[in-house]
Amino acid sequence: MMIKFSAVLLGALVCHSMAFAQPNVKKETVPNGWHLMDQASTGYYGISLDKAYEFLKAKNIKSKTITVAVIDGGIDTTQEDLKAILWKNPKEIPGNGIDDDKNGYVDDVYGWNFLGGKDGRNVKEDSFEGARVYYALKSKYEGKDGTGLTGDEKAEFEMYQRARKAVTGDVNEQEIYMMKQMLPRFITGDSIVQKDLGKAEYNGNDLKNYSPKKMEAIFVKSMMIGISKANDSYDITNTQLISEMNGELRKGEAATTPPQEFRKEIVKDDENDIKDRFYGNNDVMTGTPFHGTHCAGIIGAIRNNNKGVDGVADNVRIMMVRAVPDGDEHDKDVANAIRYAVDNGARIISMSFGKDFSPQKKWVDEAFRYADSKGVLLVKAAGNDNKNVDVEPSYPNPVYADGKGRATNVINVGASGDPKNGGLAAKFSNYGKNEVDIFAPGVGIYSTIPGVSNYGNANGTSMACPVVAGVAALLLEYFPTLTPQQLKQAIEKSAQVPQDKVSQPGTKDMVEFSELARTGGIINAYEAVKYASTLVKAPVKKTVLPKPTFKKAKAA
C-alpha cells in the first residue's frame, strides 16, 4: 500500500516526454527523522518525541517491554537496527521441526507466515479482491436487479454490484496499454542495469551517478528517476516497480479473465473454513520484506545506538505476522494473523494494508472483538487513494458487518506531512471526518529497509500507521495498565489541531483539518504521554496497623 501505480505511471510518462523537466516550484527538503521532531523548537511538524521522553524521565518511571505485532508482507531479520528488538518465541526451539509450545505453529520463532506452504513455498503476488468477489458471485447474480433480496443476500448483491463496476467499468485501457508496452522494456533494461551496478535490487539513488550506454538501460534510468520525482522518494526499487506494474496488469486482465488462485496453489488450506487455522510456515523474511521492514523500524528501531534511525518506542519487541502479498490480502489470513498476534502476547497490532472489498468481513470483525477482549489495540492505515472513506468503503474497518456497533479498540490513521515537503495533509491520504481518527507523519519517512545496514525513505499512510502504533506502545510501556480504549483516548484527545486550513487530499480545496479526521488533528507524543499520565490512578498505600500487644486470656 505504499505506491499507487497510477501516480507512478503518470510520473514516468511525464518525465519521459519532458526530458525530466524540473517543476517550476522548488520544493524544500526535510531532514531524515523530521517526523520525530518538535515543531516549536525545530519548525518541523513532527510528534515531539524528545519532549515526551524528557517528561517520562522527569517522572522517574521505569518502562515495561511491550510486544507490537506488525501484520505485513515480511521483515528482514538481519537488519542491524532491528534484529535485537525482534520478538522471539521463548517457548520455541528454533529449527527442530517441532511445535514446542504446542500453539499449532511449528518453529514460529519470529512470528508466522500465513502465506506459506508446508513445502516451503510462499505466496508472493496475488489478485485484486474485487476480481475475486466478482467472479465468485457472477453466476449467482449476473443479470439480476436484486429485487426481493434481504439480509445477507442483499448485502452480498450490493457488494457484487460494486465489484462488477470496479472490475469491468473502471479499467483505464490507455493506462493498461502503456503498462504493457513499458513493462517488457523495463525488464530488458533492468537486467543490464543490474549487471552494470553489480546488484539485483537498486533504487533511484543508485542511478543518480550511473551513466548507462545502452538504450534499454537509459530507458530504465529515465523511468526510475521519473518515478522517484513523481513520488517524492528515490528509495523506490526496481523490484517494487516491477511488482506494482504486474499487479496493475492483473487488475486490468480481471475485466475479461477470472483471477489466478495464487494462494490456493501454495497454502492448500480450506479458505472457506475459518476454523482451519493452522496453515502456513515460519518464513517471515520471504516475499516482499521492504514494506514490513520499513514499518517495523518506524515503531521500534533501536534508539540512540548511532546507527540508521531511531524508532518511536524504546522498549518493544516486534513480532512479524505475514499476511499481505503483492496484491489484496485475504480476510481469513487477516483474521488469523490478528488472533495469532493476540494469542502470542502482542498488546499493539500495526496494520498497514487495506482494500476496497471484504467478502468475509465477519471473520475479521470477530478477530477485532477477540483482540478487544484480550486488551489489544489495533492501529490501521487509512489508505492512499485520497478518497473520503466516510462515503467510499475501505477495509478492514471498525464498523461491524452484523450492524451491532463498531470496534472501540481501533485507530484509523491518515498521513500528514510538513509544509516543506508538500503540506500538512498528504496529497495521497484517505480522509473522513467520521471514519479517520487522526493523522500522523507519513511523507518522506526515513526508516530501516532490507539489508544489514540499509535505510531509506517511503511515503504512505502505511508509514503514518506505525508512527501511531509506536506512540501507543510508548504509552503502554510506561503506563501498562491502560486499556485499548484509554490508549485511543490519550492519543486522540491530545491531537494537535492546525490553525490554518489545509489542502483536501486529491483536490485544491482548502478545508479545516476537522473535515479530514474525527480529532481534526495530528498526533503528538509529548501531549499523549502527558494525557496518559492523568489516566493512571496513583497506587493506594495500605495502612499498616501496629501489632496487638495484649495477650489472649486463659480459659477459666
Side-chain angles (χ1 to χ4, degrees):
M1 223 172 83
M2 191 169 61
I3 305 168
K4 285 299 176 182
F5 192 79
S6 57
V8 174
L9 180 62
L10 288 173
L13 292 177
V14 170
C15 290
H16 187 64
S17 63
M18 296 178 64
F20 307 111
Q22 293 289 336
N24 292 327
V25 179
K26 183 178 179 181
K27 181 178 286 188
E28 297 180 59
T29 58
V30 295
N32 292 337
W34 74 268
H35 64 290
L36 305 179
M37 296 179 180
D38 176 64
Q39 191 270 329
S41 59
T42 69
Y44 297 103
Y45 285 72
I47 64 172
S48 305
L49 187 61
D50 284 347
K51 287 180 68 175
Y53 278 107
E54 288 168 7
F55 176 85
L56 292 167
K57 184 177 180 181
K59 289 283 187 181
N60 197 28
I61 311 171
K62 291 185 178 180
S63 66
K64 177 183 177 181
T65 303
I66 298 298
T67 298
V68 181
V70 177
I71 300 178
D72 215 293
I75 190 170
D76 186 344
T77 58
T78 69
Q79 218 288 339
E80 63 180 1
D81 235 359
L82 291 179
K83 60 183 181 181
I85 55 98
L86 295 179
W87 174 79
K88 294 180 182 177
N89 190 339
K91 299 178 182 178
E92 198 71 30
I93 300 172
N96 68 353
I98 299 172
D99 180 17
D100 298 292
D101 60 358
K102 296 179 172 54
N103 69 349
Y105 303 97
V106 177
D107 286 340
D108 56 326
V109 177
Y110 295 108
W112 193 251
N113 172 21
F114 284 99
L115 296 176
K118 294 189 184 301
D119 60 0
R121 292 186 300 154
N122 296 289
V123 178
K124 183 179 186 297
E125 59 188 21
D126 212 327
S127 52
F128 167 45
E129 185 73 272
R132 299 197 291 256
V133 169
Y134 172 63
Y135 284 101
L137 299 177
K138 186 177 179 182
S139 61
K140 184 175 181 180
Y141 293 117
E142 187 174 25
K144 296 183 180 180
D145 61 5
T147 302
L149 298 178
T150 59
D152 288 347
E153 277 203 326
K154 182 181 179 182
E156 186 179 70
F157 176 75
E158 290 171 351
M159 180 172 60
Y160 165 75
Q161 292 286 79
R162 282 201 306 113
R164 182 171 64 85
K165 181 180 178 182
V167 172
T168 65
D170 292 341
V171 177
N172 187 326
E173 294 183 2
Q174 182 179 9
E175 190 173 282
I176 295 298
Y177 173 79
M178 288 303 300
M179 276 188 276
K180 286 181 177 179
Q181 302 303 307
M182 294 169 75
L183 183 56
R185 291 181 65 190
F186 187 90
I187 291 174
T188 300
D190 177 57
S191 62
I192 297 171
V193 176
Q194 287 185 39
K195 186 175 180 181
D196 288 349
L197 296 179
K199 54 172 64 177
E201 188 169 50
Y202 55 86
N203 59 29
N205 289 309
D206 296 317
L207 299 178
K208 288 178 179 178
N209 297 318
Y210 168 57
S211 300
K213 294 180 173 58
K214 295 184 179 181
M215 287 301 298
E216 297 90 343
I218 292 172
F219 172 76
V220 168
K221 179 175 180 178
S222 316
M223 192 167 170
M224 287 288 289
I225 296 296
I227 288 163
S228 297
K229 290 180 179 178
N231 287 273
D232 300 321
S233 173
Y234 281 80
D235 296 297
I236 298 169
T237 69
N238 57 324
T239 55
Q240 286 176 277
L241 175 58
I242 291 171
S243 173
E244 290 278 350
M245 293 178 76
N246 277 319
E248 291 302 312
L249 286 176
R250 289 196 298 273
K251 286 185 180 180
E253 292 168 357
T256 56
T257 308
Q260 183 178 341
E261 295 185 285
F262 296 95
R263 184 185 174 286
K264 183 177 181 180
E265 296 170 3
I266 292 175
V267 180
K268 299 186 184 302
D269 65 317
D270 181 354
E271 195 175 339
N272 296 313
D273 182 6
I274 189 61
K275 294 181 181 179
D276 179 9
R277 294 180 54 200
F278 304 108
Y279 58 91
N281 62 40
N282 69 341
D283 187 356
V284 298
M285 191 168 165
T286 189
T288 52
F290 180 100
H291 196 266
T293 304
H294 199 273
C295 291
I298 294 171
I299 296 168
I302 302 169
R303 293 181 57 78
N304 304 315
N305 65 346
N306 296 316
K307 292 181 181 179
V309 298
D310 286 343
V312 174
D314 65 342
N315 191 4
V316 294
R317 295 295 179 265
I318 300 294
M319 175 194 298
M320 175 53 62
V321 191
R322 186 169 184 265
V324 184
D326 285 347
D328 283 347
E329 61 280 357
H330 293 249
D331 289 338
K332 179 181 177 181
D333 298 333
V334 172
N336 282 327
I338 292 170
R339 286 181 174 273
Y340 175 90
V342 172
D343 287 340
N344 287 279
R347 295 290 306 278
I348 311 287
I349 300 178
S350 182
M351 306 190 298
S352 288
F353 56 84
K355 55 185 179 176
D356 295 335
F357 297 87
S358 185
Q360 301 291 353
K361 188 178 190 309
K362 289 182 179 180
W363 292 349
V364 180
D365 289 348
E366 285 305 311
F368 277 26
R369 288 186 171 107
Y370 182 67
D372 192 17
S373 74
K374 300 294 184 179
V376 178
L377 178 72
L378 308 174
V379 185
K380 65 171 294 290
N384 300 335
D385 300 306
N386 53 56
K387 70 181 184 181
N388 185 347
V389 294
D390 287 354
V391 295
E392 296 185 65
S394 179
Y395 303 97
N397 63 43
V399 181
Y400 291 136
D402 61 9
K404 296 179 181 178
R406 58 189 295 138
T408 60
N409 61 325
V410 181
I411 303 179
N412 194 16
V413 187
S416 65
D418 186 273
K420 297 180 182 66
N421 68 5
L424 284 181
K427 59 188 177 183
F428 53 77
S429 182
N430 286 353
Y431 59 94
K433 64 188 302 182
N434 297 315
E435 293 301 329
V436 173
D437 296 308
I438 198 167
F439 274 56
V443 180
I445 307 301
Y446 191 67
S447 184
T448 49
I449 60 176
V452 172
S453 57
N454 290 348
Y455 302 86
N457 288 289
N459 304 322
T461 58
S462 286
M463 285 63 248
C465 171
V467 169
V468 176
V471 172
L474 177 64
L475 300 185
L476 202 55
E477 286 176 26
Y478 290 90
F479 309 108
T481 62
L482 294 180
T483 66
Q485 289 72 22
Q486 288 176 314
L487 289 172
K488 181 177 169 72
Q489 178 185 348
I491 288 169
E492 294 179 358
K493 292 291 186 182
S494 61
Q496 299 300 286
V497 179
Q499 298 302 307
D500 299 325
K501 290 186 176 182
V502 297
S503 295
Q504 179 175 299
T507 75
K508 294 182 179 180
D509 297 340
M510 301 301 291
V511 299
E512 301 288 347
F513 222 100
S514 57
E515 294 297 309
L516 306 182
R518 266 194 331 104
T519 60
I522 299 168
I523 193 170
N524 186 279
Y526 170 57
E527 297 296 337
V529 295
K530 284 200 302 181
Y531 193 101
S533 69
T534 69
L535 299 176
V536 180
K537 294 181 179 179
V540 178
K541 291 184 179 180
K542 292 182 179 180
T543 302
V544 180
L545 299 173
K547 292 182 179 180
T549 58
F550 62 87
K551 295 181 179 180
K552 188 175 180 181
K554 294 182 179 179

